[in-house]
Amino acid sequence: MTETQEAQDPIKESAAAESATTGTEHASPQPGLVALWVLSASAVLSLAGVVFSLYRLTGMADGLDDTGVMLLANSLFSPIIVAAFAGAVAGVVTPRLLRGPQRAMTALGFTVIGLAAGAVAYTSFAVDASIALVLALVLLGSAVVGGLFALPRRSVTVVAGLSATLLLLGLMFARGLFESATSVSLFSDPLDQYGALGRTLPFIAGLACGVCAFLYLRKKKAGVKLLGHLLAGAIPGAIWLVSTVIAQIGVEVLLGVGLDEVSPLDNAFLALSFQWQYNGSMTAMFAGAFCAVLAFGLLLPKTAKPKAANRS
């Protein structure tokens, strides 16, 4: 009996260790259902709305003429950044809905949403098969690249960053509404004589995103360290940056397929627009990461250090 008990002791210790490990994993904070529902609904509605708006703006029953192709090229950034956001959201939500390896379910989520966006875009512009194919592949690629932001295992950090990204998209949408209702351009360097608004507004947007990410992590009491706050604050600007890269590639391919020649004025306008997008995205990424890290250092309560044991 003594030998049997001794043999069973290591098994009990191993089981206890596994139980403690499992309990620790289950105790780690997870994204709330409300946040996931809000992000999912926002991603689906914004993606459907932006593709529909793109079709209403440029769609023609007999196919796109040169003016329509240029309008499509100038308007391509909005569906790209929304598709990247939707891909990231699908990558986070799918592992919560389906059982299986987290990375595999994440890949399944952003691939499905990318294929759906590409199919809708291709159907909308099917009268121009080559342009429709380019647009479908661009949206598919945007969703896949955006879904890569959902790969970190600490999903609460990713959801904090995506919540801040939703705020960034809301600010961009509000800017568009304001510019369409007035003659003032707030977010465009070509019409900003001194470049002050073009530099300041992305910085302010980045600060707002950093505060949003920090507040979400603080509310969840996630125990996320400095690196997690840095990642969450930088995600909105990073999504903006990669969307700009994809948009520049997509515009070049689209113009190569749809136009025989691009005027120097259109080339200059596109170059200036992309220059501002790069500057704005990097400014927002830096400001968001800086604000989240600064808030982590200044606003989170410090843990009390254990007192040293008295020497006898």
Side-chain angles (χ1 to χ4, degrees):
M1 291 294 293
T2 302
E3 294 179 355
T4 304
Q5 291 177 351
E6 291 178 352
Q8 289 177 346
D9 284 341
I11 299 176
K12 292 180 179 180
E13 292 177 359
S14 176
E18 287 183 6
S19 177
T21 303
T22 305
T24 302
E25 291 177 356
H26 287 300
S28 61
Q30 296 294 326
L33 292 178
V34 175
L36 293 179
W37 274 109
V38 170
L39 289 175
S40 300
S42 301
V44 173
L45 293 176
S46 59
L47 187 58
V50 78
V51 173
F52 178 73
S53 299
L54 190 67
Y55 174 74
R56 289 288 302 272
L57 178 66
T58 63
M60 300 178 183
D62 298 330
L64 297 178
D65 56 13
D66 291 351
T67 302
V69 173
M70 282 306 305
L71 282 174
L72 182 61
N74 288 322
S75 307
L76 198 57
F77 173 76
S78 294
I80 287 176
I81 191 172
V82 171
F85 169 72
V89 172
V92 171
V93 172
T94 304
R96 299 292 300 271
L97 299 177
L98 302 177
R99 292 183 178 181
Q102 179 181 353
R103 298 287 175 83
M105 294 299 101
T106 297
L108 176 64
F110 62 67
T111 301
V112 169
I113 198 69
L115 289 173
V120 172
Y122 185 87
T123 303
S124 301
F125 293 86
V127 65
D128 286 307
S130 57
I131 292 178
L133 180 60
V134 170
L135 188 59
L137 292 177
V138 166
L139 293 187
L140 172 60
S142 302
V144 170
V145 173
L148 298 180
F149 287 92
L151 289 179
R153 293 187 179 277
R154 198 71 179 258
S155 57
V156 68
T157 302
V158 179
V159 171
L162 292 179
S163 300
T165 306
L166 181 59
L167 174 62
L168 177 64
L169 295 178
L171 293 175
M172 289 181 171
F173 180 74
R175 177 264 307 178
L177 289 179
F178 181 84
E179 291 185 355
S180 64
T182 65
S183 59
V184 179
S185 178
L186 291 181
F187 243 44
S188 177
D189 253 354
L191 299 180
D192 181 9
Q193 183 177 0
Y194 299 101
L197 291 175
R199 290 189 299 266
T200 303
L201 287 180
F203 184 77
I204 295 175
L207 292 180
C209 291
V211 170
C212 178
F214 167 77
L215 291 178
Y216 180 87
L217 292 176
R218 183 176 183 176
K219 182 179 179 181
K220 292 296 295 181
K221 297 179 180 179
V224 177
K225 302 302 181 183
L226 179 65
L227 185 60
H229 282 77
L230 178 69
L231 174 64
I235 282 178
I239 291 179
W240 186 356
L241 178 60
V242 298
S243 299
T244 303
V245 175
I246 297 172
Q248 187 170 18
I249 297 172
V251 166
E252 292 179 357
V253 175
L254 180 67
L255 294 179
V257 170
L259 294 179
D260 296 329
E261 184 178 1
V262 182
S263 68
L265 183 60
D266 288 331
N267 273 327
F269 180 81
L270 288 172
L272 193 58
S273 297
F274 281 120
Q275 179 184 357
W276 182 83
Q277 294 284 4
Y278 282 118
N279 293 338
S281 62
M282 288 186 285
T283 299
M285 183 167 59
F286 167 77
F290 174 77
C291 184
V293 169
L294 190 64
F296 170 80
L298 297 179
L299 300 181
L300 282 183
K302 305 297 187 295
T303 56
K305 295 182 179 179
K307 296 182 179 179
N310 295 329
R311 295 182 180 179
S312 56

